[in-house]
Amino acid sequence: MATDTRVILICSGKGGVGKTTLTANLGISLARQGLTTAVLDADFGLRNLDLLLGLENRIVYTAQEVLEEECRLDQALVKHKQESNLSLLPAGNPRMLDWLKPDDMKRIVDMLIKEQFNYVLIDCPAGVEDGFKNAMAASQEAIVVTNPEVSAVRDADRVIGLLNTNSIKPVRLVLNRVRPKMMANQEMLSIDDVTDILALPLLGLVLEDEQVIVSTNRGEPLTLNRVNSPAAKCYLNIAKRLQGEDIPLIDPAEEISGFGAKFRRLMQTKIF
Amino acid sequence: MNSNNQKIIINIDHCNYPNWKIDLKNKLKTLKSNNLEIDAKNIDLSCKSISEIIAIANQYDCKIIGFCSSSAKTIVSSQSLGYKSQFIIESFSKNTSEISKKNLTFSKTHFHQGTVRSGEYLESSGDLLILGDVNPGAKVSAEGNIIIWGKLLGIAHAGSKGNSKATISALQLSPVQLRIAQKVARGPKEKPQLGLAEQARIDSEEIIISQL
């Protein structure tokens, strides 16, 4: 029986808002639910996804060699060490930037669909130029990542417009790097401010978490090591919502770290 | 006059427009209902006229719950007074698939349904009616008037070919910049009061914003 592969583009417009981190963690989270997942690094000019997944030293071939028939697809697909359901496919070599065309992207994704993956996550480069257009060419749905900042929201808005004109839907929103304290003090755009402008369904919030930096540097996504970190929980919830589970969004106001919150967290920990 | 489930629709016909108040009173005499919807057809009703209608209805113990009309002005007015409003596109309602397309010219009025997003640019050689928000970074321009049934947060240019009588109306007018004919104005610093439609026009060589 053929599986319906969901091809999801993860994009943002602005750089540095957390596309690659989301792709890596979502990939791991989905794989842990038993879903075969391929993450395709379409940001091959500045490729980072392999670093985040700790797979840099295992890459031998890229999709470029597959398309030129120098190797088979299964040779280019890098299986994750711990999560065998997750595979990484780098789209190209950082030294050869111009080779990829939208049609090439479609061919790569078609091959991945033939491999019967449950999910194909495409990590899109920043910007709205050729790299974005290539990455968009083969996608069915999209997740737009943004931060609660005016510039990130503006760029996300632009990207959503482009996704709409290319009839990619559904487009869903992930609000990354939410700082509950700043939100409560109204120093940061509120969730309503962002959703008012972007007018998209919110797939999830991700809380600001220093652990993200640590995990990036180690090449071990947060969701992999069952770290009890706030961001890891957010990523797991996003993966579950993507699967259609109805999990309520977190309320940033309740996440403000202080005595009350710590006490609540302590109460929730199962000591007995 | 149509009976529609519990909702009663009163048509204000264009033909007896000058006498519509008397007409309305006659119609209201015969019924006492809490579920009246007024169909204003293509008549332009200001906030003032709508308030008058409501006052008349109150005299006859009737309660109006909403308005429908093919006039954008009427819709914007009734919306701003807090009534449920339904926009009816006359005789084009069959082509719903076409209406959802981005730029569609109906005689002199351009319709756009949906959010105008950052980087998008909408232009019209007549009036421009947008059912949706105009986001920051987006620009809309028309040779005639611009009416936005939503928030204006981007840039709007009415009377782009020099018509200084052109106006810009929106349910929430907090643009980055407003342009009418050759005049340019920065948007107001403070947020406007919610639920009150506003209109920008040129008055003695300056762009001013007033409540509709």
Side-chain angles (χ1 to χ4, degrees), chain A residues 62-75:
Chain A
T62 67
Q64 186 185 359
E65 279 92 17
V66 179
L67 287 175
E68 287 166 1
E69 293 179 357
E70 288 173 25
C71 73
R72 296 187 312 276
L73 179 64
D74 57 89
Q75 287 177 301

Side-chain angles (χ1 to χ4, degrees), chain A residues 67-272:
Chain A
L67 287 175
E68 287 166 1
E69 293 179 357
E70 288 173 25
C71 73
R72 296 187 312 276
L73 179 64
D74 57 89
Q75 287 177 301
L77 278 170
V78 188
K79 263 211 170 100
H80 193 266
K81 292 168 279 190
Q82 283 132 293
E83 278 305 329
S84 57
N85 281 333
L86 180 74
S87 307
L88 166 77
L89 180 65
N93 195 309
R95 275 158 299 174
M96 309 180 85
L97 293 179
D98 298 327
W99 75 275
L100 195 97
K101 299 277 174 297
D103 280 340
D104 299 327
M105 202 68 185
K106 279 182 195 154
R107 280 168 61 204
I108 299 171
V109 171
D110 281 344
M111 282 184 207
L112 291 170
I113 291 173
K114 280 205 190 95
E115 291 288 313
Q116 307 213 335
F117 280 103
N118 293 115
Y119 280 89
V120 174
L121 305 178
I122 304 175
D123 182 24
C124 178
V128 289
E129 293 82 21
D130 287 348
F132 169 71
K133 282 174 193 151
N134 288 334
M136 181 171 63
S139 312
Q140 298 156 354
E141 41 188 308
I143 297 175
V144 175
V145 189
T146 189
N147 293 356
E149 291 165 23
V150 176
S151 56
V153 171
R154 184 72 60 92
D155 292 356
D157 194 33
R158 178 97 183 85
V159 163
I160 295 161
L162 293 171
L163 291 171
N164 284 347
T165 52
N166 286 278
S167 47
I168 290 176
K169 59 184 148 185
V171 180
R172 280 171 287 204
L173 188 68
V174 167
L175 192 55
N176 202 4
R177 307 193 70 169
V178 171
R179 296 179 193 214
K181 230 177 191 169
M182 288 183 76
M183 240 175 213
N185 296 341
Q186 300 190 326
E187 293 163 333
M188 198 172 230
L189 292 180
S190 75
I191 294 163
D192 285 345
D193 288 339
V194 176
T195 49
D196 258 14
I197 288 190
L198 298 182
L200 282 188
L202 199 55
L203 186 64
L205 303 171
V206 182
L207 297 172
E208 172 87 38
D209 186 352
E210 289 174 354
Q211 292 292 319
V212 173
I213 302 171
V214 180
S215 78
T216 303
N217 293 342
R218 281 201 195 142
E220 293 169 358
L222 270 182
T223 39
L224 187 65
N225 293 326
R226 301 160 205 259
V227 183
N228 199 17
S229 90
K233 279 181 205 153
C234 298
Y235 287 126
L236 278 168
N237 283 343
I238 290 171
K240 285 181 186 164
R241 285 191 204 106
L242 211 52
Q243 275 291 93
E245 276 185 55
D246 187 21
I247 295 166
L249 289 168
I250 48 158
D251 182 3
E254 285 187 4
E255 299 292 328
I256 295 174
S257 50
F259 176 71
K262 275 183 189 148
F263 184 68
R264 254 200 312 280
R265 226 171 281 155
L266 197 68
M267 294 297 284
Q268 282 166 1
T269 339
K270 286 170 188 142
I271 312 168
F272 307 107

